[in-house]
Amino acid sequence: MSEHPTNGLNDVVHQRHRLGILTIAAESRRVEFGYLKDALELTGGNLSRHLTVLVDAGLLDMEKGYDGKRPKTWVSITRTGRQALADEITALRALIDRHVD
């Protein structure tokens, strides 16, 4: 018997908000904090916590700066983050394939 697909899920990536952050970040060069907050319907504090987990895991880079006089925070996915996202999607596809007729 082969390994069950859920064994391939990464607890850091699989959490729904973090999966959302990674998928949005993978779609562009970088993404602004406010956009993520609105798109995922998170509070600033909740989003900050998820970003910290992803940055600490090496899956995202965070850049702080200014847009004019307004402080901004941008995030971008790392090569490690892209691979972790690809691995998560592969595991999810394998799980789905087990249940599709």
Side-chain angles (χ1 to χ4, degrees), residues 25 28 35-36 38-39 56-57 74 78 82-83 89 95-96 98:
S28 61
Y35 178 83
L36 287 171
D38 292 344
D56 288 350
W74 295 275
T78 64
R82 285 190 188 281
Q83 185 59 57
I89 291 169
L95 185 60
I96 291 167
R98 290 173 67 112

Side-chain angles (χ1 to χ4, degrees), residues 46-62:
N46 199 310
L47 177 56
S48 290
R49 180 66 192 122
H50 288 298
L51 291 175
T52 298
V53 169
L54 293 167
V55 168
D56 288 350
L59 305 181
L60 289 179
D61 285 327
M62 192 178 314

Side-chain angles (χ1 to χ4, degrees), residues 15-87:
Q15 197 283 342
R16 79 178 175 109
H17 296 305
R18 292 193 290 263
L19 184 59
I21 292 166
L22 287 172
T23 57
I24 291 170
E27 295 169 356
S28 61
R29 186 176 67 80
R30 69 181 187 169
V31 62
E32 200 268 324
F33 183 93
Y35 178 83
L36 287 171
K37 186 176 141 220
D38 292 344
L40 298 172
E41 300 178 349
L42 294 170
T43 65
N46 199 310
L47 177 56
S48 290
R49 180 66 192 122
H50 288 298
L51 291 175
T52 298
V53 169
L54 293 167
V55 168
D56 288 350
L59 305 181
L60 289 179
D61 285 327
M62 192 178 314
E63 174 188 349
K64 293 185 181 273
Y66 289 87
D67 183 12
K69 293 185 179 199
R70 298 184 62 143
K72 296 283 184 172
T73 300
W74 295 275
V75 297
S76 55
I77 194 166
T78 64
R79 180 175 287 143
T80 302
R82 285 190 188 281
Q83 185 59 57
L85 180 58
D87 292 346

